[in-house]
Amino acid sequence: LCRAPDQILLSTTETCAGWEVSRHIGLVTGSTVRTKDVTKDVFAAVRQIFGGEITTYTDLLNEARAEALRRLREAAAAEDAGAVVALRISTTSLPGGASELLAYGTAVELRSLAK
């Protein structure tokens, strides 16, 4: 990798404050496919009856989102990007109770606007 993945800026907009895009590199993605734990599903079903947050699913989604964004940053770093702009996250249900979480955006090089 030319740049450390944790140095890659992420933005849901097409710009990053204080920077200008100097080169568009192209689409980068990061994804993960996860399934629910059957034993945790039993507790989630009970929670659905009584109401409230299903924290096991919240944790699962948070872990999946972090993994997808880590992989996105690695893909951008491999292209020597400085940022990923127009970042989006999408989910897809797959057979067997699995779900894919996909992070995607445009890898770009940045130039500082500071004088």
Side-chain angles (χ1 to χ4, degrees), residues 12-24:
T12 57
T13 65
E14 294 183 9
T15 61
C16 293
W19 301 89
E20 70 177 351
V21 173
S22 60
R23 181 171 73 101
H24 283 83

Side-chain angles (χ1 to χ4, degrees), residues 11-58:
S11 177
T12 57
T13 65
E14 294 183 9
T15 61
C16 293
W19 301 89
E20 70 177 351
V21 173
S22 60
R23 181 171 73 101
H24 283 83
I25 296 169
L27 177 70
V28 288
T29 64
S31 67
T32 186
V33 175
R34 301 287 175 107
T35 61
K36 298 179 278 185
D37 181 330
V38 176
T39 59
K40 292 180 181 178
D41 263 357
V42 172
F43 295 112
V46 171
R47 175 61 76 184
Q48 285 177 319
I49 294 169
F50 296 105
E53 180 180 10
I54 304 172
T55 56
T56 55
Y57 291 167
T58 300

Side-chain angles (χ1 to χ4, degrees), residues 59-115:
D59 294 344
L60 178 70
L61 288 172
N62 285 336
E63 290 168 10
R65 186 172 30 257
E67 181 68 20
L69 289 173
R70 183 184 64 75
R71 291 177 178 172
L72 174 84
R73 279 189 157 110
E74 288 174 352
E79 298 292 334
D80 202 26
V84 176
V85 296
L87 173 66
R88 300 293 182 265
I89 295 177
S90 173
T91 60
T92 304
S93 293
L94 301 171
S99 295
E100 177 193 34
L101 196 142
L102 170 67
Y104 61 97
T106 303
V108 296
E109 262 183 30
L110 299 174
R111 180 176 29 243
S112 175
L113 292 174
K115 301 286 178 187

